Amino acid sequence: MKEFAAFKNKADLLRKWSLISTTEATSGHPTSCLSAADLTAVLFEKYFTYDIADPLNNYNDRFVLSKGHAAPLLYAFFGVAGAYPLDELKTLRKFGSRFQGHPVPKFAYAEAATGSLGQGLSVGAGLALAAKREGLSSKTFVLTGDGELAEGQIWEAANFATHEKLDNLVAILDINRLAQSQPTMFGHQIEEYVNRFKAFGFEVIAIDGHNYEEIDRAFEKAVNNKNGKPTAIVAKTIKGKGISFLEDKDGWHGKALKKDELQKALAELGDVDDQARFALKKPSGKLMPANTDVKYRVATSFENGKEYATREVFGEVLASLVEQNKNLYVLDGDVMNSTFTEDVKKKTPDRFIECYIAEQNMVSVAVGLSRLGRVPFAATFGAFFTRAADQIRMARVSEANVKFAGSHVGVSIGEDGPSQMALEDIAMFGALPGAVVLQPADAWCTASLVQEMAAHTGIVYMRTLRPKTALLYSKDEHFEIGGSKLLRHSDHDELTVAATGITVFEALKAADELEKENIHIRVLDCYSIHPIDAAALNESVHATKQNLLVTVEDHFEHGGMGDFAAAALSDTGAHIIKMAVPDISQSGTKDELLHDAGIDAEHIAQKVRELCAVTA
Amino acid sequence: MKEFAAFKNKADLLRKWSLISTTEATSGHPTSCLSAADLTAVLFEKYFTYDIADPLNNYNDRFVLSKGHAAPLLYAFFGVAGAYPLDELKTLRKFGSRFQGHPVPKFAYAEAATGSLGQGLSVGAGLALAAKREGLSSKTFVLTGDGELAEGQIWEAANFATHEKLDNLVAILDINRLAQSQPTMFGHQIEEYVNRFKAFGFEVIAIDGHNYEEIDRAFEKAVNNKNGKPTAIVAKTIKGKGISFLEDKDGWHGKALKKDELQKALAELGDVDDQARFALKKPSGKLMPANTDVKYRVATSFENGKEYATREVFGEVLASLVEQNKNLYVLDGDVMNSTFTEDVKKKTPDRFIECYIAEQNMVSVAVGLSRLGRVPFAATFGAFFTRAADQIRMARVSEANVKFAGSHVGVSIGEDGPSQMALEDIAMFGALPGAVVLQPADAWCTASLVQEMAAHTGIVYMRTLRPKTALLYSKDEHFEIGGSKLLRHSDHDELTVAATGITVFEALKAADELEKENIHIRVLDCYSIHPIDAAALNESVHATKQNLLVTVEDHFEHGGMGDFAAAALSDTGAHIIKMAVPDISQSGTKDELLHDAGIDAEHIAQKVRELCAVTA
């Protein structure tokens, strides 16, 4: 058939350039590209709707390369689709090239950075969900390897896709039998995958991934599927397919062909029409990501003398923001009554996404939403964001605009004990270049920062507190990313205590206590942990008698606010004393645990007394 | 039947104390205990073999409470088994009590700390695997909730258990329909769970979780199962079962009864024999965890002038250690040819555990092995340990003795790009109290530290390098946790550069370059990042003209070695200049990327020149 000849020609063209580019780079994963070349050639030749001039058009179909190491194949696609000359593929993996070892945003056609496996189906579910909820006609295709199906996140995504009835999502499983170091768990036992995806509620189509008729029929069925089920095309393929000495051979993962091997391989491919191009169908509509650079105004009011949990204020303000801005989505991991995102569900259920207890999928779904220009807020206990540390890392590599709110931080949560306490979350988020980390201590600061968070482009993490806290500020106070508030100061202060979150109140109590002993200290509320207010820290330290900063935080010692403060003062010669949680905590009341961790008012006051005595 | 009456009596006794203890605590999850009371009463009454005097006896059956919030039920079990007076349960969730909000090692009968959901089946698989491989007759029972079945790790564990033919593992699924904030994804549609576990290769038994006959038959079948398949008992249960006003009601998750509600509830339970006790069968054998405090001697030899990748040396030395010590196990995530744990597989396949690309399960399996006194080494790319950040966090809460080796750290990996680079791993492991973080720069140091790592009790993380590096040391050199090596020094040094791993070589090159300009610097190899060698840093800084330390590392700026060094010098007033990777990297050669990140010899030399000029 003529159509099949076109498929074959395109597939071999993709093969050819996957081989050439990796040999040129002297590294890469050509055999992983070859197994998927037939599948993807058919998809692009016949089923993929896409405007190459506008990768961000929301009406475009979406192709997520979950098996990121097959990047040369992805790069070859868009070259054959006319996005750039094929010859540019020879810059693969070279410094400065858009064709990096694994896809990153520098390659404009990548829906997300991939390369940490098993995340693509979740990203695709995010793309498909937005399309579904907003009535866009686009389809999302996700190409996964078989090795990565061992990642649990795949099954989180599968549950989610079925539950959300994403029949606009097509998973293409490239079952080529061989993983990096050995055969996969199931090799070519296709039924193992078929059974699993069926059990998870997918429409499953098992095919020979090199038989164009079967591939074609599978895609035709998948794109016309309206039964509410996502589709999984389980394709039995041969790693290295098309080149005899590579086919189904172990030991070729992540190896480029040598020049002479390449010549042999190209000879086997025979005549391939280098001028052939995919003629992608253009979508009929155009919808570009909305401008998210919006300032928000949420009317909130807090009563003097009353106490508020910052997590509650977060939920309330976020719900108003979501109501006012249709780009905002909120994702929950079955803790909406703890993080108070339940307020969003009540007001705008269409922009609330229940991810159940599956934090990895939640974060990668958010990455998908971000790609379409939506602004996703993901919220769970701060401790449980560690469950998605890799997905958060990849969100950063993807340059995704995702907001994270972690409740129940620190030992101040009390009786639930250490498994529920976020005590390493500042280290985790803070290590990511450019990520913003905030921790408001009172309701007014929270209300303001939630809005700053939404308006900021890039990753922002907010720590919220379980216990209620008193009001420190008033309506007209201004808060900003990178700011701080000086809460106590006099003309004869001994030193500065920088605190954040719950420890602000402890520092204030300590200051009051010390005041009675005629020891005066400054207290700085570092509600912006990263970036930290270096200018205020400097000024504060220099305005006191001692060139000394005491930091107090409800976080482990390493990687917390204290380290940001120390870095900000590193060239001043200031002494830094970090007070933080020194060990795994336990159950108890908030006050018992703050005391036990040595970060309560009593310990702060005692530390200040010691420091003053030393230099007195 | 008399037997059933005994089951009911015990179940109600468990119910009674779950209710009393949570009311006493004024918090906790009584309804989550009640749904599982019948299941566990039958298990303990009739099927559980355990010596209460020796929780660590390897011949004991194992009970893992994956749904950690049902801790009061666990505490009630062992009370009813005679481990302590039931009245002590009234200290639940109180400061200092062994009965914490979620199980921790202070409760000697907890197999692992739980409370971050979805990890228990993996821990159980680790326990069952050791029993299987070592021919122990014990069974492992894991009680999971239904909400936590949404966690992907469950399916990683399921694949693993089937693949390893763990027919000594029994998962008890307490399908009580209600999660924290709402009904679960599947509610009481039991077949959703049945189909999934069947597809994953389990022997599945679906029952009414409150029907003693069905429960009894299920356990009888499960404990006699020898067909190579793990068992899943899918039990349809009622949350709050036994108390009319709690049964199947939303809004009762994580709520203790008020005193008057408790009275009403206890009245409903009626006469419960408080003196009834489980008479657990004692195991016939006794095998206590071996003393792991062993010193190792591995003969290694490296040729002067040759270069070695520290990851290769790691694999080689580890393989020798495993050969010499039967307690050691090695776990791989399908990268054994990159981390070089393939050396272990070749020599001692019985102590090599292939976990495929499922890092979360890998880490929790290791926690299970550690509980039995085995010493597990888990190895993958450093970047991919972020996938298991929560499991590593819980390993620390569990006080597990697990060793982690992360290869391919930093931008020095080159062409593969940012998704494969570990640049936040020091922040992650370093935040955990007491965790040791090591990074040897050459072969001799690696060979020595792998042995120190094995001999140390507690969590140790070693960073290994992808590229080969030159020898810096010789056979007789001594390395230790907390140590460092001064590689360059003179009597007229300007300042100190502290480096680690790949940057040691850059620092040395810079020193050589500067030497030509008559600028002398100290170079310190901080191969022990945590604990860092504070004494050497202090000494070095004080021995130089400038009270100044430059740290250089192939890691992001925050949370790395520089912050440990700064903390070590915080009270000295030394200026600290951190040189680290400032942003997401890209593809390129090692040298291009080190240069791009500003951490190569050229940048170090330039920084030193600037610092000397400032003060000259």
Side-chain angles (χ1 to χ4, degrees):
Chain A
M1 277 180 65
K2 195 178 149 202
E3 198 180 40
F4 293 177
F7 294 156
K8 175 151 179 35
N9 191 16
K10 298 285 173 24
D12 283 347
L13 190 52
L14 297 176
R15 287 192 165 93
K16 176 177 172 177
W17 283 94
S18 297
L19 290 164
I20 291 175
S21 60
T22 46
T23 294
E24 200 69 37
T26 69
S27 68
H29 304 75
T31 57
S32 304
C33 299
L34 268 50
S35 62
D38 294 315
L39 290 164
T40 46
V42 176
L43 170 64
F44 277 68
E45 178 72 14
K46 193 166 169 188
Y47 295 97
F48 201 66
T49 298
Y50 194 94
D51 184 353
I52 205 96
D54 274 324
L56 294 180
N57 184 353
N58 279 199
Y59 284 99
N60 281 344
D61 282 348
R62 302 277 153 182
F63 179 76
V64 180
L65 182 73
S66 188
K67 47 179 287 186
H69 52 288
L73 183 71
L74 181 74
Y75 304 149
F77 293 153
F78 283 95
V80 176
Y84 34 77
L86 291 176
D87 226 50
E88 195 190 323
L89 297 173
K90 291 183 179 169
T91 65
L92 178 73
R93 290 176 160 252
K94 301 237 187 319
F95 186 78
S97 170
R98 58 173 142 177
F99 306 126
Q100 297 202 12
H102 296 75
V104 294
K106 195 172 184 177
F107 182 69
Y109 308 96
E111 300 296 342
T114 50
S116 182
L117 291 167
Q119 303 189 9
L121 192 57
S122 299
V123 173
L127 294 163
L129 181 82
K132 194 89 187 167
R133 291 219 179 163
E134 299 183 14
L136 307 172
S137 58
S138 63
K139 304 270 176 201
T140 297
F141 301 89
V142 179
L143 179 67
T144 80
D146 48 355
E148 66 178 312
L149 299 180
E151 288 285 8
Q153 188 181 354
I154 291 285
W155 306 106
E156 296 182 3
N159 270 338
F160 180 82
T162 308
H163 187 73
E164 293 287 344
K165 304 195 190 328
L166 301 180
D167 53 14
N168 56 348
L169 176 67
V170 183
I172 310 162
L173 315 182
D174 178 14
I175 310 296
N176 68 19
R177 193 184 75 82
L178 295 168
Q180 173 179 324
S181 68
Q182 63 186 325
T184 62
M185 190 179 272
F186 304 119
H188 265 151
Q189 298 168 57
I190 294 297
E191 68 281 6
E192 295 284 353
Y193 302 105
V194 169
N195 293 343
R196 280 167 175 75
F197 276 93
K198 274 192 182 160
F200 275 74
F202 274 55
E203 188 68 43
V204 180
I205 311 172
I207 61 168
D208 171 350
H210 304 300
N211 179 315
Y212 296 120
E213 197 179 334
E214 292 187 26
I215 299 171
D216 188 28
R217 217 160 36 200
F219 278 119
E220 177 151 17
K221 193 169 166 198
V223 300
N224 291 305
N225 176 24
K226 304 243 185 303
N227 68 1
K229 290 180 174 189
T231 301
I233 299 176
V234 183
K236 184 173 174 176
T237 61
I238 306 290
K239 198 158 176 172
K241 174 72 183 181
I243 308 302
S244 62
F245 58 94
L246 300 177
E247 282 189 2
D248 205 30
K249 295 271 194 307
D250 208 351
W252 269 104
H253 183 93
K255 258 189 208 164
L257 274 63
K258 298 202 186 78
K259 291 244 156 130
D260 58 325
E261 292 166 336
L262 175 67
Q263 288 319 313
K264 237 176 92 185
L266 294 180
E268 281 198 25
L269 282 181
D271 261 352
V272 181
D273 178 6
D274 251 329
Q275 305 310 315
R277 289 293 176 270
F278 291 120
L280 302 181
K281 285 171 290 183
K282 272 200 187 180
S284 50
K286 183 162 170 173
L287 174 67
M288 298 299 282
N291 183 4
T292 56
D293 185 20
V294 180
K295 283 291 170 194
Y296 305 95
R297 283 281 154 244
V298 172
T300 39
S301 176
F302 305 105
E303 270 176 60
N304 280 331
K306 262 189 84 174
E307 297 198 327
Y308 299 85
T310 59
R311 59 183 173 131
E312 287 191 64
V313 179
F314 163 79
E316 183 193 328
V317 174
L318 182 61
S320 293
L321 282 181
V322 175
E323 242 184 340
Q324 290 172 46
N325 192 302
K326 70 176 180 49
N327 271 332
L328 266 57
Y329 276 84
V330 175
L331 301 97
D332 169 46
D334 185 29
V335 286
M336 61 178 167
N337 54 345
S338 291
T339 60
F340 286 90
T341 56
E342 63 182 5
D343 296 352
V344 177
K345 188 181 180 186
K346 281 175 206 154
K347 284 190 174 178
T348 48
D350 56 316
R351 245 87 55 58
F352 179 83
I353 305 173
E354 183 50 70
C355 297
Y356 297 92
I357 310 177
E359 296 81 5
Q360 302 185 90
N361 180 64
M362 174 171 72
V363 171
S364 300
V365 165
V367 171
L369 291 167
S370 161
R371 169 70 175 171
L372 295 173
R374 309 301 178 271
V375 183
F377 276 70
T380 183
F381 282 31
F384 302 145
F385 276 125
T386 58
R387 194 59 159 261
D390 192 24
Q391 288 76 14
I392 294 167
R393 180 178 78 90
M394 291 303 293
R396 177 61 191 85
V397 178
S398 293
E399 296 172 14
N401 183 26
V402 181
K403 317 303 166 191
F404 299 90
S407 68
H408 293 68
V409 299
V411 304
S412 78
I413 68 161
E415 289 75 6
D416 272 341
S419 61
Q420 319 292 303
M421 297 169 176
L423 286 164
E424 55 287 291
D425 52 331
I426 300 177
M428 177 174 78
F429 282 99
L432 301 176
V436 171
V437 180
L438 306 171
Q439 180 170 226
D442 90 334
W444 288 111
C445 184
T446 308
S448 181
L449 290 182
V450 175
Q451 299 175 70
E452 294 298 319
M453 192 178 177
H456 179 86
T457 302
I459 286 178
V460 183
Y461 172 59
M462 179 181 283
R463 298 185 108 198
T464 66
L465 300 168
R466 180 178 177 278
K468 290 181 193 291
T469 54
L471 294 179
L472 291 171
Y473 304 107
S474 61
K475 193 180 177 62
D476 301 319
E477 206 96 33
H478 176 73
F479 301 91
E480 64 189 352
I481 291 172
S484 67
K485 290 283 174 191
L486 192 58
L487 287 169
R488 286 281 193 285
H489 65 104
S490 71
D491 291 339
H492 37 278
D493 293 323
E494 290 288 335
L495 51 81
T496 304
V497 173
T500 181
I502 199 76
T503 58
V504 172
F505 300 92
E506 300 301 318
L508 291 174
K509 265 187 272 178
D512 292 344
E513 206 49 50
L514 291 164
E515 192 74 32
K516 296 178 197 161
E517 302 163 27
N518 215 18
I519 300 173
H520 308 284
I521 61 170
R522 305 206 146 200
V523 175
L524 193 69
D525 173 5
C526 289
Y527 63 78
S528 181
I529 294 173
H530 187 224
I532 202 160
D533 193 343
L537 284 169
N538 254 292
E539 199 185 309
S540 205
V541 166
H542 285 115
T544 57
K545 292 185 197 161
Q546 302 188 39
N547 191 21
L548 200 158
L549 180 74
V550 177
T551 63
V552 200
E553 63 190 311
D554 196 359
H555 183 276
F556 286 138
E557 291 174 344
H558 183 69
M561 184 267 281
D563 286 341
F564 279 119
L569 296 179
S570 66
D571 57 355
T572 64
H575 291 221
I576 317 285
I577 309 292
K578 291 198 285 185
M579 299 180 77
V581 180
D583 207 343
I584 303 296
S585 185
Q586 57 169 305
S587 289
T589 66
K590 180 196 87 169
D591 290 336
E592 283 168 340
L593 298 184
L594 289 172
H595 182 77
D596 184 51
I599 54 171
D600 64 346
E602 187 184 328
H603 281 88
I604 298 169
Q606 190 50 35
K607 176 65 75 182
V608 172
R609 283 185 205 108
E610 284 165 23
L611 291 167
C612 293
V614 168
T615 55
Chain B
M1 276 181 66
K2 192 179 150 203
E3 197 179 40
F4 293 175
F7 293 155
K8 175 152 178 33
N9 191 16
K10 297 285 172 25
D12 284 346
L13 190 52
L14 296 176
R15 287 192 166 95
K16 176 177 172 177
W17 282 94
S18 297
L19 291 164
I20 291 175
S21 59
T22 47
T23 294
E24 199 69 38
T26 71
S27 68
H29 304 74
T31 57
S32 303
C33 298
L34 267 49
S35 63
D38 294 315
L39 291 163
T40 45
V42 175
L43 171 64
F44 277 68
E45 177 74 12
K46 191 165 169 189
Y47 295 98
F48 202 65
T49 300
Y50 195 92
D51 185 353
I52 205 96
D54 274 325
L56 294 179
N57 183 354
N58 279 201
Y59 283 98
N60 282 344
D61 282 349
R62 302 277 156 182
F63 178 77
V64 180
L65 183 73
S66 189
K67 48 179 284 186
H69 52 289
L73 184 70
L74 182 72
Y75 303 149
F77 292 155
F78 284 95
V80 177
Y84 34 77
L86 290 177
D87 225 50
E88 195 190 324
L89 296 173
K90 291 184 179 167
T91 65
L92 178 73
R93 290 174 160 251
K94 301 237 186 323
F95 186 77
S97 170
R98 57 174 143 178
F99 306 126
Q100 298 202 11
H102 296 77
V104 294
K106 194 171 186 180
F107 182 68
Y109 308 96
E111 300 295 342
T114 50
S116 182
L117 291 167
Q119 303 191 11
L121 192 57
S122 298
V123 173
L127 294 163
L129 181 82
K132 194 89 187 167
R133 291 219 179 161
E134 299 183 16
L136 306 172
S137 58
S138 63
K139 305 271 175 200
T140 297
F141 302 88
V142 179
L143 179 68
T144 80
D146 47 357
E148 66 177 312
L149 299 178
E151 288 284 9
Q153 186 180 355
I154 290 285
W155 306 106
E156 297 182 2
N159 270 337
F160 180 82
T162 309
H163 187 71
E164 293 288 344
K165 303 195 191 325
L166 301 180
D167 53 14
N168 55 349
L169 176 67
V170 182
I172 309 161
L173 315 182
D174 177 13
I175 311 296
N176 67 21
R177 193 182 75 82
L178 294 168
Q180 174 179 323
S181 69
Q182 61 186 325
T184 62
M185 189 179 272
F186 303 120
H188 264 150
Q189 299 169 58
I190 294 295
E191 67 281 5
E192 294 285 353
Y193 302 105
V194 168
N195 293 343
R196 280 166 175 76
F197 276 92
K198 273 191 183 161
F200 274 73
F202 273 56
E203 188 69 43
V204 179
I205 310 172
I207 60 168
D208 171 349
H210 303 301
N211 178 315
Y212 295 120
E213 194 179 337
E214 292 187 28
I215 300 170
D216 187 29
R217 216 158 39 199
F219 278 118
E220 176 151 20
K221 195 170 165 199
V223 300
N224 290 306
N225 176 24
K226 304 242 183 303
N227 68 0
K229 290 180 172 187
T231 301
I233 299 175
V234 183
K236 184 171 173 177
T237 60
I238 306 290
K239 197 158 175 170
K241 174 72 181 181
I243 308 301
S244 62
F245 58 95
L246 300 176
E247 281 190 3
D248 205 31
K249 295 270 194 308
D250 209 349
W252 270 104
H253 183 93
K255 260 190 207 160
L257 274 61
K258 300 204 186 77
K259 291 243 156 131
D260 58 325
E261 292 166 337
L262 176 67
Q263 288 320 314
K264 236 175 93 184
L266 294 181
E268 282 198 26
L269 282 182
D271 259 353
V272 180
D273 178 6
D274 250 331
Q275 305 310 315
R277 288 293 176 271
F278 291 121
L280 302 180
K281 284 172 289 182
K282 272 200 187 183
S284 50
K286 182 160 170 175
L287 175 66
M288 298 300 283
N291 183 3
T292 57
D293 185 22
V294 179
K295 283 290 172 195
Y296 305 94
R297 282 281 152 246
V298 171
T300 39
S301 176
F302 306 105
E303 271 176 59
N304 281 331
K306 262 190 84 173
E307 296 197 326
Y308 299 85
T310 58
R311 60 183 171 131
E312 289 191 61
V313 179
F314 163 78
E316 185 192 327
V317 174
L318 182 61
S320 293
L321 281 182
V322 175
E323 243 184 338
Q324 289 172 47
N325 190 303
K326 70 176 180 50
N327 270 332
L328 265 57
Y329 277 84
V330 176
L331 300 98
D332 171 45
D334 185 31
V335 287
M336 61 177 167
N337 53 346
S338 291
T339 59
F340 287 90
T341 56
E342 62 182 4
D343 296 353
V344 177
K345 186 181 182 185
K346 281 174 206 153
K347 283 191 173 178
T348 46
D350 55 317
R351 244 87 53 59
F352 179 84
I353 304 172
E354 183 51 72
C355 298
Y356 297 91
I357 310 178
E359 297 81 4
Q360 302 185 88
N361 180 64
M362 175 170 71
V363 171
S364 301
V365 165
V367 171
L369 291 166
S370 161
R371 169 71 176 171
L372 295 173
R374 309 302 178 269
V375 183
F377 277 70
T380 183
F381 282 31
F384 302 145
F385 276 125
T386 58
R387 196 59 159 261
D390 191 25
Q391 289 75 15
I392 294 167
R393 180 179 78 92
M394 291 302 294
R396 177 59 190 85
V397 178
S398 294
E399 296 171 15
N401 183 26
V402 181
K403 317 302 168 190
F404 299 91
S407 69
H408 293 69
V409 299
V411 305
S412 78
I413 69 161
E415 290 74 6
D416 272 339
S419 62
Q420 319 291 302
M421 297 169 176
L423 287 164
E424 56 287 289
D425 52 330
I426 300 177
M428 178 173 77
F429 282 100
L432 301 176
V436 170
V437 180
L438 304 171
Q439 180 169 227
D442 91 333
W444 288 113
C445 184
T446 308
S448 181
L449 290 182
V450 175
Q451 300 175 69
E452 294 297 320
M453 191 178 178
H456 179 87
T457 302
I459 286 178
V460 183
Y461 172 58
M462 178 181 281
R463 298 186 108 197
T464 68
L465 299 168
R466 181 179 175 276
K468 289 179 194 291
T469 54
L471 294 179
L472 292 171
Y473 304 107
S474 62
K475 193 181 179 61
D476 302 319
E477 205 95 35
H478 176 73
F479 302 91
E480 63 190 354
I481 291 172
S484 68
K485 289 283 174 191
L486 192 58
L487 286 169
R488 287 281 193 288
H489 65 103
S490 72
D491 293 338
H492 37 281
D493 293 324
E494 290 287 336
L495 52 80
T496 304
V497 173
T500 180
I502 199 78
T503 58
V504 171
F505 300 92
E506 300 301 318
L508 291 173
K509 266 188 271 179
D512 292 345
E513 207 49 51
L514 291 164
E515 192 74 35
K516 295 177 196 161
E517 302 163 28
N518 214 19
I519 299 173
H520 308 285
I521 61 170
R522 306 207 146 198
V523 175
L524 192 69
D525 173 6
C526 289
Y527 62 79
S528 181
I529 295 173
H530 186 224
I532 202 159
D533 193 343
L537 284 168
N538 255 294
E539 197 185 313
S540 205
V541 167
H542 286 116
T544 57
K545 292 184 198 164
Q546 303 189 39
N547 190 20
L548 201 158
L549 179 74
V550 177
T551 63
V552 200
E553 61 191 313
D554 197 358
H555 183 276
F556 286 138
E557 290 174 344
H558 183 68
M561 184 267 282
D563 285 341
F564 279 119
L569 296 179
S570 66
D571 57 354
T572 65
H575 291 219
I576 316 285
I577 310 290
K578 289 199 286 184
M579 300 181 76
V581 180
D583 208 344
I584 303 297
S585 186
Q586 55 169 306
S587 289
T589 65
K590 178 196 87 169
D591 290 337
E592 283 169 339
L593 298 185
L594 289 172
H595 183 76
D596 184 51
I599 53 170
D600 65 344
E602 188 184 326
H603 281 88
I604 298 169
Q606 190 51 34
K607 177 64 75 182
V608 171
R609 282 185 207 106
E610 283 165 24
L611 290 168
C612 293
V614 167
T615 54

